[in-house]
Amino acid sequence: MVNFLRDALRRRTTFLLVLLVPASAFAGSVATRRKQEPMRQIFVVKSPEGKVIANGEETIAEDGEAMRSDLVFRFLDGSLDEQITTFTQDGAFRLINDHHVQKGPAFPAPLDMTIDVPTGMVTWHAPKDGADTVMSQHIVLPEDVANGLVPLLSENVPPGPAGLRVPWIAIAMGRPFLVTLAIGPDTTAVTAPPVAHARRYLLHVELHGLALLAAPLLNKQPADLHVWVSDAAQPSFLQLQGPFYQAGPVWTVESLGPGQPATDAHQG
């Protein structure tokens, strides 16, 4: 009986999550306080023990009237996490499309999801009958959906305790659904060393409706992320700490600034 109820709840959650996210959950457009310029930035990813496990690089370039970000993490075990995001920033940040791929030994559940805001189509890969099946679903996407824009939005959080609340597309139980991503001042304890001259923000996923009720049973409440942003007049992303996927290990992403990766980044 318990298994039956659990499976029934999974099926109902799949189809009701999108419908049960209230419109009031989203605060509206995120104003462009700091426009993103073309740039190249280098990162390393460290394990909870402080060992370098991946190199990262983000390249942002102009793409017509939009901007295109290519953020890639290459892991020493051959795994890959890559997110390609196109967006505009004229007055407010607007996502156009986002393609996020995670694959390899570091990721127990591979991810391949594309969000196309103009058409409202979300496409993803899912295992079905032992094969990789491409699936798609139309979702009424809010204009401020934030996939692929988290570091940039963290650099544009307005002063004060209110922070930002933006819609976010997540894949769970084999389907995409909308949640709210709250970005605000972080006063929690973290294991990462302190970062000088930085503001720290907490990224917390808020579930709604049946998703909120189902999360404890299905163990689907996403973990929080911690982000450090410089407190300069022109803020810039410095560090992130948290899991790359549901129930994953807590990794730390450190910015090395422009230039070449650290010499120890290829060491085992």
Side-chain angles (χ1 to χ4, degrees):
M1 177 60 73
V2 173
N3 289 338
F4 172 79
L5 292 174
R6 186 184 182 95
D7 292 342
L9 184 55
R10 287 179 188 272
R11 292 193 295 270
R12 290 179 61 82
T13 302
T14 294
F15 295 104
L16 294 178
L17 280 169
V18 174
L19 300 178
L20 292 174
V21 178
S24 61
F26 308 129
S29 304
V30 178
T32 306
R33 301 177 63 241
R34 173 193 176 277
K35 278 193 172 184
Q36 178 63 63
E37 301 291 337
M39 63 86 155
R40 176 173 175 264
Q41 193 170 13
I42 300 299
F43 307 92
V44 292
V45 182
K46 294 183 178 179
S47 69
E49 298 75 30
K51 180 181 178 181
V52 174
I53 58 174
N55 292 312
E57 179 180 352
E58 182 179 25
T59 303
I60 299 180
E62 295 179 348
D63 186 1
E65 296 182 354
M67 303 296 290
R68 183 178 186 272
S69 165
D70 186 353
L71 174 62
V72 58
F73 296 102
R74 295 181 174 88
F75 287 73
L76 303 186
D77 66 2
S79 301
L80 178 76
D81 184 324
E82 183 170 21
Q83 191 161 18
I84 300 175
T85 307
T86 305
F87 62 95
T88 58
Q89 52 182 349
D90 186 13
F93 294 103
R94 294 280 189 273
L95 178 67
I96 299 175
N97 52 62
D98 179 69
H99 183 203
H100 192 186
V101 173
Q102 292 179 332
K103 60 183 180 180
F107 301 103
L111 171 71
D112 191 332
M113 179 176 68
T114 300
I115 302 169
D116 188 70
V117 176
T119 64
M121 295 303 299
V122 179
T123 304
W124 71 100
H125 291 241
K128 186 176 182 180
D129 300 328
D132 181 46
T133 304
V134 179
M135 306 181 71
S136 62
Q137 179 176 324
H138 182 269
I139 299 178
V140 179
L141 296 172
E143 62 181 11
D144 56 341
V145 63
N147 290 69
L149 300 177
V150 165
L152 186 57
L153 296 184
S154 298
E155 296 170 354
N156 283 268
V157 176
L164 299 172
R165 298 173 77 244
V166 291
W168 177 271
I169 295 287
I171 291 285
M173 295 164 285
R175 293 280 176 175
F177 61 93
L178 277 168
V179 300
T180 301
L181 183 65
I183 307 175
D186 185 1
T187 59
T188 64
V190 294
T191 59
V195 178
H197 306 294
R199 299 187 182 97
R200 203 174 84 203
Y201 295 104
L202 179 72
L203 279 60
H204 175 73
V205 173
E206 299 175 354
L207 304 178
H208 307 276
L210 186 58
L212 178 61
L213 298 176
L217 177 61
L218 302 178
N219 192 28
K220 292 297 180 182
Q221 172 61 48
D224 293 338
L225 298 176
H226 308 271
V227 174
W228 287 257
V229 175
S230 71
D231 61 4
Q234 293 293 320
S236 60
F237 171 85
L238 297 176
Q239 184 170 286
L240 177 146
Q241 185 183 73
F244 275 41
Y245 57 90
Q246 178 68 23
V250 174
W251 292 335
T252 300
V253 180
E254 297 179 1
S255 171
L256 302 182
Q260 298 300 315
T263 56
D264 69 340
H266 293 284
Q267 294 177 3

